[in-house]
Structure formats: C-alpha cells, structure tokens
Amino acid sequence: MDFRYHIHIMTLFPDVVGDMLCESILGRAQERDIIRVDCHQIRDYTLNKQRQVDDYPYGGGHGAVMQADPLYQCWKHICDEAGEKIHTIYLSPVGKVFKQADAKRLQRDYHNLILVCGHYEGIDERFIEECVDEEISLGDFVLTGGEIPAMAVADAVCRLVPGVLSDAACFTDESHWDGLLEYPQYSRPEVWHEKRVPPILLSGHHANIAKWRRKQAILRTRDRRPDMYKKLDLSSKADQKLLKEIAAEESET
C-alpha cells in the first residue's frame, strides 16, 4: 500500500517509540493510511548469536560504540524493501539544529525517511559516511539515545502531511511557521482564579481579533526571542501600524 508519508525508525527500543507515535493525531492518521511509522529493531540484523550491536572504541575511551554492520544490514533491508535508497537522517548531537524549516523541507522533498537512533558513545563513523544523508540535533545538549529526537522529528514532519491535521491553519498559525511565536490562547471558563479572558476575544469581531493576535505574536517574539525578531519582515502597512500602536501603548506605561 502507498502511504503519503512513510517513516522508518532504526532503534534498539522499537516498542517504546512505536507506542508513542501510534497515539492521538498521528495514530489516527496511521489508521487512515495517510502516514505510516515503522520501527526496526537493530538487534534483529546482527550476525552473532548474542545479538551484539556494540563494541569497544578503537583508540580507547569510555563506553562503547554501535557497530557499523548491524546498522548497515538494517538500513539495507529497509531500502531493499522500498526498492530505493531512502533519505537517511542520523539523530546526533553534532548535527545541524532542527528547525521548523527543516520539517517543511523534509515533508516537501521526500515521501520516505529513515531515522537512525544512536546509543552509547555514538555509532561507527563509516556507517555515517556510507549511508547517512544528513545529521540532525534537537539542540545543544546530549541525551542517552536518539529515540526522543527521532520521535520529535517524526512528529514535526508527519503533522505537516496533508490530511493529518484537519486544516492547514492548524499549523500555519503556530509558533515558528512564519518566524513568529504564537499568540496567547484561552479557553473556558471566561474567568479563572480572578483572571479574565481578554475582552477582544469575546467580541466576535474577527478582524479585530486577528489584529490583536498578530500584535501579541509580534510582542511575544520580540520579548522572548529577539534573535527571531531581528529576522522578521514587518514592513507591511498593517505591521507598521501595529508597531506604532505598540510604541504608543508602551510609552503610556
């Protein structure tokens, strides 16, 4: 069966990863055959009875390194089954930091992905050189394995596949889609712990609500992520008017 998007995750813990990605929105999308996420146990592709996937690093040092051949045999099996070489990503702390733009690119440019989860002190560099197309990191920190980053990348990419979410606005209005952080959100009750929902959101005036949300998104981005704010294009007449309103309001306080 052809799926709109197919992600393969190479891991030592397929049950943990698979269970997480089969819940909620992604789970329903898999039930409707829009996407598919398959987890592959790397140990199944070892050539020894002990199902060993790691060994001591050459040159000495602490820990162990995942061996190239079990990874390669697993990777080759996936590609052979697909009938093509699949774009392969290794989740690594030395990779490029993952951004929303990468999620868009991966959803747009590929219909299959392989995500490789490392463990221990990493994986044999020769597998990376031969089979990996790019390395991705979640940020400037280190985790015990690649499963959490793989789940994050899979979620971020799959939710952009048409049909997974009910409407494109579900993600185009969110943080990072167009360089802005998302505006504050509110739900019932109208008053909670003596804090009221902003009256504009109760007005029913859609144009004014949209304007308020845009202003709040600009303010939140400016205050919380000045690095993103510097890159924003706020040259439109509407945004220039909002910036003047913000300056006037702040000068009064």
Side-chain angles (χ1 to χ4, degrees):
M1 177 178 291
D2 292 329
F3 302 91
R4 295 184 191 173
Y5 214 91
H6 197 166
I7 289 183
H8 303 266
I9 299 178
M10 294 170 48
T11 172
L12 298 177
F13 303 98
D15 292 340
V16 174
V17 176
D19 288 348
M20 181 66 186
L21 294 175
C22 284
E23 295 294 331
S24 189
I25 292 171
L26 297 191
R28 292 193 291 273
Q30 291 195 69
E31 290 173 358
R32 303 196 324 267
D33 295 327
I34 297 173
I35 62 171
R36 178 169 175 174
V37 180
D38 284 326
C39 297
H40 303 264
Q41 171 58 268
I42 298 168
R43 292 189 188 278
D44 291 343
Y45 298 88
T46 58
L47 301 179
N48 58 74
K49 293 180 180 180
Q50 294 76 26
R51 303 178 80 208
Q52 182 179 349
V53 297
D54 63 290
D55 211 329
Y56 296 113
Y58 280 120
H62 297 288
V65 174
M66 291 184 70
Q67 297 168 298
D69 200 61
L71 290 163
Y72 174 75
Q73 296 299 334
C74 181
W75 176 86
K76 184 175 183 298
H77 172 79
I78 296 169
C79 292
D80 287 347
E81 287 278 307
E84 62 179 342
K85 183 183 182 299
I86 300 175
H87 189 78
T88 302
I89 297 170
Y90 171 43
L91 289 312
S92 164
V94 303
K96 182 184 72 171
V97 175
F98 187 67
K99 305 284 188 182
Q100 183 68 26
D102 295 303
K104 294 181 188 179
R105 170 178 60 84
L106 293 172
Q107 185 275 320
R108 180 189 67 232
D109 294 348
Y110 305 101
H111 60 92
N112 275 348
L113 282 184
I114 294 176
L115 305 179
V116 182
C117 303
H119 264 275
Y120 315 120
E121 296 304 308
I123 70 177
D124 193 305
E125 187 70 20
R126 291 168 294 184
F127 172 79
I128 298 173
E129 292 172 353
E130 183 160 339
C131 304
V132 171
D133 297 297
E134 61 179 302
E135 295 181 60
I136 281 178
S137 168
L138 283 194
D140 298 335
F141 53 90
V142 179
L143 299 171
T144 55
E147 282 73 22
I148 290 175
M151 288 189 285
V153 170
D155 189 295
V157 172
C158 284
R159 68 195 304 277
L160 301 182
V161 175
V164 172
L165 298 181
S166 59
D167 192 285
C170 293
F171 49 78
T172 58
D173 283 348
E174 291 179 330
S175 295
H176 303 289
W177 181 260
D178 59 359
L180 283 169
L181 297 182
E182 190 177 9
Y183 47 80
Q185 296 275 18
Y186 299 86
S187 185
R188 291 177 175 81
E190 184 178 331
V191 180
W192 179 80
H193 287 197
E194 300 182 0
K195 295 179 174 65
R196 304 189 66 86
V197 173
I200 185 67
L201 298 179
L202 308 175
S203 69
H205 196 298
H206 298 300
N208 286 347
I209 291 172
K211 177 182 172 182
W212 179 89
R213 286 175 167 170
R214 177 73 176 178
K215 183 189 292 186
Q216 295 303 312
I218 291 172
L219 283 167
R220 180 172 277 189
T221 306
R222 184 198 68 180
D223 296 341
R224 300 188 184 188
R225 290 293 302 273
D227 57 318
M228 292 172 55
Y229 185 76
K230 290 177 182 178
K231 300 175 184 178
L232 285 176
D233 180 5
L234 301 174
S235 60
S236 70
K237 289 183 179 179
D239 282 340
Q240 286 296 305
K241 184 176 181 181
L242 285 178
L243 292 175
K244 289 179 181 178
E245 289 181 11
I246 290 171
E249 291 167 1
E250 292 181 337
S251 67
E252 295 174 358
T253 58

